[in-house]
Structure formats: structure tokens, C-alpha cells
Amino acid sequence: MTILLVLVSLCLCGHFRIYCITSGSMEPTISIGSLILVDTDAELHTEDIVTFQKQDSIITHRIVRQIDNQRTVTKGDANDSDDPTPLYKTQIIGKVILVIPYIGYIVLFIRRYLWLLCAAFLAWQIIRKRKRR
């Protein structure tokens, strides 16, 4: 829990973002269910793992080569070939600087079932209050 609080604090005060990995394209380097910390201000080089936006998806892959100053080719470690379309620098959110395995499962669970957790907490409070009377 302390780790999550530190990560959230970093995100609120600077150029960092947190994401959960939901696919296996970066296995075994980054496993499904991992939480990643992305630095949006880092300098990027070949072999860096980056997070980027493509249409409506957020993807994390490795830079395999630079085409020019504006375009980069990426590839998931588990994929056999490079990504079909080069990325423009404007699509890249940032460089992955920290990977925490399994914590992403907790974050995804909370995000998905927050309404249920809130309802259970509210019900517990009501029951507890009635028992006191």
C-alpha cells in the first residue's frame, strides 16, 4: 500500500504516470498484471521501453529503431515482428522507469469494482450503526 501511495504522489507532483499492463506483448520483461511508472520527460533511446497512444489504446513496447527525428519503430518483446506503423514522437507518452509485478491486478480490481466496494462499505456502516442502537 505504501508503494501505491508513493507512486500516486509522484504522479500528482510531476511528470510521471501510472499504467497497468493488461496484455502479454512485453512478456517476459513485463508481465500481465504489472504496474508501470512512466516518465513523460525522459530522453528516449533505442531499446528503451515506452508507453504510447495509438488510436484509443495505450500500448507499452520497446523502441527497436529510430527512422528519423520524428518517427520511431517499436515492437513488443513477445511479438515476432515490429509494429506495422511507425510512431510519431507526439504519440509517445514516456519511458517506462519502474515495473512492479502483480500490483496492477489490485489496481484493476479496485478500478473495476470500486462501486461494489463503496456499496459494501456503506452497507457495513449502516448495519454497524443499527446494532449500536
Side-chain angles (χ1 to χ4, degrees):
M1 194 54 117
T2 304
I3 293 171
L4 284 175
L5 291 174
V6 169
L7 291 174
V8 168
S9 298
L10 280 172
C11 290
L12 292 175
C13 69
H15 47 86
F16 298 98
R17 294 193 184 166
I18 297 173
Y19 295 98
C20 298
I21 300 299
T22 59
S23 79
S25 67
M26 283 302 293
E27 296 274 359
T29 309
I30 304 175
S31 301
I32 296 172
S34 294
L35 191 76
I36 59 171
L37 181 64
V38 175
D39 184 347
T40 60
D41 200 33
E43 189 174 319
L44 304 177
H45 303 284
T46 301
E47 295 298 316
D48 285 344
I49 299 173
V50 294
T51 298
F52 55 92
Q53 182 149 8
K54 217 167 204 182
Q55 294 158 356
D56 292 337
S57 298
I58 303 292
I59 301 167
T60 299
H61 281 174
R62 186 180 303 279
I63 295 175
V64 291
R65 70 180 179 281
Q66 305 275 351
I67 295 175
D68 54 35
N69 283 342
Q70 293 302 313
R71 294 179 300 157
T72 300
V73 177
T74 55
K75 176 184 174 293
D77 287 1
N79 297 345
D80 293 329
S81 58
D82 296 347
D83 295 338
T85 310
L87 294 176
Y88 285 93
K89 286 201 176 206
T90 56
Q91 293 175 276
I92 298 175
I93 296 167
K95 176 181 175 179
V96 175
I97 60 168
L98 179 66
V99 177
I100 306 172
Y102 309 113
I103 299 296
Y105 284 123
I106 297 167
V107 173
L108 289 172
F109 177 83
I110 291 170
R111 189 183 303 162
R112 184 171 291 150
Y113 296 108
L114 183 60
W115 64 271
L116 183 61
L117 295 171
C118 289
F121 178 75
L122 183 61
W124 177 67
Q125 289 294 324
I126 291 169
I127 291 169
R128 204 176 97 193
K129 197 170 192 175
R130 286 185 180 170
K131 283 185 179 180
R132 285 186 183 171
R133 290 182 191 181

